[in-house]
Amino acid sequence: GEPPCVRALAELFASAGVVCKVPAREEGGITSAMWRKFIGIAAFSAVGAATRATLGEVLAEARTRQLYAALLAEGVAVATAHGVGGLDEYAAAQASRAESLPKASTASLARDVLAGRPSELEAQVGAMVRYAEGKGVAAPAFAALYAALLPQERAAART
């Protein structure tokens, strides 16, 4: 369970009518919640930046949709190797959830890449690659997109 102060704060919010989601209670803990967020944004950022496409465009193209699903699955494998449990259904659930999001959605990393600005490539896609390598987990889709985006990231950093 969560610490008493977290429980008390959640109850206070609930008594005020504010919906309060406590990851420790509902998603397998804060570590699991953080990895879910990381996997989701890293996959969406990587595929969006590499393809220069919106979410709707990514999902409309069968091969690109498969790439997005592969990134999600690789992220789950990396998280699992780092001891995070409860993610068995996450990749499929996130891919399905993407269908309900606005089709014009783009990640800030992708917008920065498109504009030629420095992005969060290292903190998101690069980090996923390093976490995978650190545990000996194969993450070929992440590694390929990271490698493809690195030259532009380096050029943006020089400007």
Side-chain angles (χ1 to χ4, degrees):
E2 65 274 350
C5 60
V6 173
R7 187 176 316 109
L9 186 58
E11 290 169 2
L12 179 65
F13 280 132
S15 70
V18 177
V19 176
C20 182
K21 188 174 181 184
V22 180
R25 186 184 306 158
E26 299 176 17
E27 294 180 352
I30 190 68
T31 301
S32 178
M34 289 170 41
W35 270 95
R36 287 170 194 265
K37 178 69 174 173
F38 176 49
I39 294 165
I41 195 61
F44 181 47
S45 293
V47 74
T51 63
R52 276 74 167 158
T54 65
L55 177 61
E57 293 165 335
V58 166
L59 297 177
E61 198 62 50
R63 289 178 190 256
T64 312
R65 175 193 292 263
Q66 290 170 352
L67 174 60
Y68 177 56
L71 291 164
L72 291 168
E74 287 179 11
V76 168
V78 172
T80 301
H82 281 271
V84 179
L87 297 177
D88 298 338
E89 306 299 321
Y90 176 75
Q94 183 66 14
S96 178
R97 181 178 166 273
E99 297 287 342
S100 67
L101 298 174
K103 300 303 179 216
S105 295
T106 58
S108 63
L109 186 154
R111 291 190 299 273
D112 288 340
V113 166
L114 282 169
R117 295 186 299 257
S119 72
E120 308 103 322
L121 182 68
E122 289 297 336
Q124 294 179 14
V125 185
M128 187 67 78
V129 170
R130 289 185 297 277
Y131 284 137
E133 290 171 348
K135 291 291 186 178
V137 174
F142 270 111
L145 295 185
Y146 178 60
L149 293 166
L150 266 175
Q152 184 171 341
E153 185 68 18
R154 300 289 190 251
R158 287 191 296 270
T159 61

